[in-house]
């Protein structure tokens, strides 16, 4: 081979190798090897996260679950969703056993010391669920009553604030909203302090129950992350896109109708 031919030949081989390498990289990327993030939630909070047993099989469903999948789709990632006690969510994030949480979680100042939050994606008022026969006339009718709240929830704070104003109001803490609903139904507690959205869902599913809104209280909800998470801004951008496209509203409307 003459020198020129040899140079041309090695040049072409070089180009071929480069193209082969690049397309290899591409096929690597376009294959199914997406990043998987672990999401934790507390599946006791209809219609945002709950177990649907209506079709014979038990699946975790709800508005938060749909929003999480829409965000994952936007970000090109896959999700591994785990159902844990609400009270275990913050520790799971702090120890990086989870990458994020969607559980209708309120970004309180207290929590912000230990975990980080996305922008707000939904807000709701707070209500008291009671037996229909014992519906609250006003906040003052809570005097001397036993009121339940979910352990570790911000509603625990709201209940404590109420207890400062209302004489001999007792607060009962339990892990699961479903257990608290049962306590109301059997009359062991007089009411459950919870966001309006699950209050409405539980009341619709149990005709013996009713609920009243507490005018002064409102909560907003955000996605929770470990403090140093690299995902917060990416999720915020994806949230904005879903909002702009009307997808967020479409999902909440579907579950809140
Ligand atoms: N918003 C309240 C909080 O952040 C209650 C959330 C309850 N969520 C649930 N999946 N049980 O504390």
């Amino acid at each position: 081979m003459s020198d020129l031919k040899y140079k041309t030949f090695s040049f072409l081989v070089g180009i071929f190798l480069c193209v082969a390498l690049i397309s290899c990289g591409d096929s690597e990327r376009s294959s199914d090897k997406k990043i998987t993030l672990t999401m934790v939630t507390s599946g006791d909070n209809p219609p945002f996260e709950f177990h649907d047993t209506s079709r014979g099989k038990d699946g975790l469903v709800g508005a938060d679950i749909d929003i999480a999948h829409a965000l994952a789709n936007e970000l090109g990632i896959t999700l591994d969703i785990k159902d844990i006690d609400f009270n275990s969510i913050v520790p799971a994030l702090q120890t990086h056993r989870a990458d994020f949480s969607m559980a209708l979680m309120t970004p309180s100042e207290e929590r912000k010391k230990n975990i980080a939050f996305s922008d707000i994606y939904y807000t709701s008022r707070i209500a008291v669920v009671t037996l229909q026969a014992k519906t609250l006339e006003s906040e003052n009718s809570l005097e001397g009553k036993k009121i339940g709240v979910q352990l570790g929830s911000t509603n625990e704070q709201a209940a404590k604030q109420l207890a400062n104003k209302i004489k001999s109001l007792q607060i009962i803490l339990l892990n699961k909203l479903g257990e608290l609903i049962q306590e109301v139904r059997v009359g062991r507690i007089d009411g459950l302090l919870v966001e309006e959205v699950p209050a409405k869902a539980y009341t619709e599913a149990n005709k013996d129950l009713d609920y009243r809104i507490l005018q002064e209280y409102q909560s907003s909800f955000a996605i929770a992350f470990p403090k140093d998470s690299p995902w917060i801004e990416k999720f915020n951008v994806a949230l904005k896109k879903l909002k702009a496209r009307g997808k967020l509203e479409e999902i909440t409307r579907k579950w809140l109708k």
Side-chain angles (χ1 to χ4, degrees), residues 42 44-45 49 86 103-106 111 150 153-154 195 221:
S42 169
D44 58 351
N45 195 36
E49 45 268 332
F86 186 75
L104 214 65
M105 195 177 263
T106 305
R111 285 182 183 148
Q150 184 162 38
S153 72
T154 46
E195 272 85 10
F221 315 113

Side-chain angles (χ1 to χ4, degrees), residues 45 48 64 102-107 111 117-126 154-155 195-198 218-224 239:
N45 195 36
F48 276 76
D64 271 343
M102 287 195 77
L104 214 65
M105 195 177 263
T106 305
R111 285 182 183 148
F117 288 96
S118 70
D119 297 336
I120 304 286
Y121 65 89
Y122 196 74
T123 51
S124 168
R125 296 177 294 180
I126 291 178
T154 46
N155 297 323
E195 272 85 10
E196 181 184 8
V197 267
Q218 175 146 6
S219 264
S220 15
F221 315 113
I223 308 166
L239 259 183

Side-chain angles (χ1 to χ4, degrees), residues 194-212:
V194 72
E195 272 85 10
E196 181 184 8
V197 267
K200 187 162 180 275
Y202 274 119
T203 304
E204 275 166 5
N206 299 284
K207 294 295 171 214
D208 51 341
L209 298 177
D210 198 2
Y211 73 95
R212 279 280 186 283

Side-chain angles (χ1 to χ4, degrees), residues 219-239:
S219 264
S220 15
F221 315 113
I223 308 166
F225 298 88
K227 254 202 154 164
D228 53 359
S229 169
W231 289 97
I232 307 168
E233 262 327 292
K234 295 184 181 108
F235 271 71
N236 278 337
V237 171
L239 259 183

Side-chain angles (χ1 to χ4, degrees), residues 164-182:
N164 286 336
K165 290 197 291 188
I166 293 165
K167 263 210 302 206
S168 58
L169 174 70
Q170 262 190 72
I171 302 169
I172 310 293
L173 298 168
L174 287 179
N175 249 327
K176 295 273 179 205
L177 284 177
E179 290 169 24
L180 285 156
I181 287 289
Q182 285 316 315

Side-chain angles (χ1 to χ4, degrees), residues 55-68:
R55 267 167 245 111
K57 58 174 187 195
D58 182 17
L60 192 57
V61 295
D64 271 343
I65 310 298
D66 281 0
I67 296 169

